[in-house]
Amino acid sequence: MNFKKIITILLGLVVAVAVVVIIVNGFRGQKEKEIQTEKQDTHSNKAAIENGIVVYYFHTTKRCQSCMKAEKLSKETVETFFKNEIDSGKIRYMEVNTDEPENSHYIRDYQLFSKSLIISLVKNSKEIKYKNLTEIWQLIYNDEGFKNYVKSEIENLIREM
């Protein structure tokens, strides 16, 4: 009787883990979203970029070491590899605390569920495309891989400018 109970509990745990994996992979699959509307960019008051790319690192007030490392590596990547684009105004890096009331709209705008690195393509002062770089979390302990991933994704958007 105890053996049956143990097997039932183990099977229940396996099913629960499988459900969590499916949910997490569903969020990862939603990496890129095209914006179909012609509405004015809701972020223009902060991003204030006419044509270019805005790199947002979204965080909350409370942050763990991994979150702070992701912020540090993101900023280093942008400032190291895209210095000319920053100087010319084609790329802008922003750290945004979504716990602040004036920034809470970003949670809806980008469907954020955690700390996130978003790259946003802006043309004629309108955001036309963005991508949530969710793979940074798999690369958080691989500085070079992290930076290469972020650099590559930004370069892909630059080609669309």
Side-chain angles (χ1 to χ4, degrees):
M1 193 72 101
N2 282 340
F3 182 71
K4 276 186 166 180
K5 202 174 213 179
I6 291 171
I7 294 295
T8 303
I9 290 171
L10 288 175
L11 285 174
L13 287 173
V14 168
V15 169
V17 168
V19 168
V20 169
V21 167
I22 289 169
I23 290 170
V24 168
N25 284 336
F27 282 126
R28 281 191 201 131
Q30 186 181 348
K31 290 180 189 174
E32 195 169 333
K33 177 183 176 185
E34 296 284 349
I35 297 178
Q36 303 298 326
T37 180
E38 288 295 318
K39 71 178 185 175
Q40 191 71 13
D41 177 17
T42 59
H43 318 116
S44 59
N45 63 328
K46 286 197 155 207
I49 192 168
E50 188 174 335
N51 292 297
I53 296 169
V54 182
V55 180
Y56 295 100
Y57 180 74
F58 292 104
H59 62 84
T60 55
T61 303
K62 292 184 181 182
R63 294 185 269 177
C64 66
Q65 284 194 319
S66 294
C67 297
M68 290 186 287
K69 183 175 182 180
E71 179 178 337
K72 176 182 173 281
L73 290 174
S74 298
K75 186 174 184 176
E76 283 177 11
T77 302
V78 173
E79 290 177 348
T80 299
F81 295 106
F82 302 101
K83 183 180 181 344
N84 292 337
E85 289 85 352
I86 291 171
D87 291 346
S88 70
K90 292 189 193 269
I91 291 184
R92 180 148 186 221
Y93 177 81
M94 294 179 56
E95 296 164 359
V96 180
N97 184 343
T98 56
D99 282 345
E100 295 176 6
E102 66 271 18
N103 296 329
S104 65
H105 68 92
Y106 288 110
I107 295 168
R108 286 184 315 277
D109 297 344
Y110 292 122
Q111 301 171 353
L112 302 175
F113 58 92
S114 182
K115 282 76 173 173
S116 299
L117 183 63
I118 301 284
I119 56 175
S120 170
L121 178 61
V122 178
K123 290 185 180 180
N124 299 318
S125 300
K126 295 178 186 175
E127 181 180 68
I128 61 164
K129 180 179 187 177
Y130 74 84
K131 186 171 186 180
N132 187 342
L133 303 186
T134 57
E135 291 177 35
I136 63 171
W137 301 110
Q138 285 79 41
L139 298 166
I140 197 67
Y141 298 110
N142 176 353
D143 292 9
E144 185 177 337
F146 184 108
K147 289 179 179 183
N148 286 335
Y149 167 62
V150 172
K151 177 179 179 264
S152 173
E153 293 295 338
I154 294 171
E155 288 172 340
N156 289 339
L157 269 192
I158 286 173
R159 289 196 248 329
E160 295 184 41
M161 285 177 39

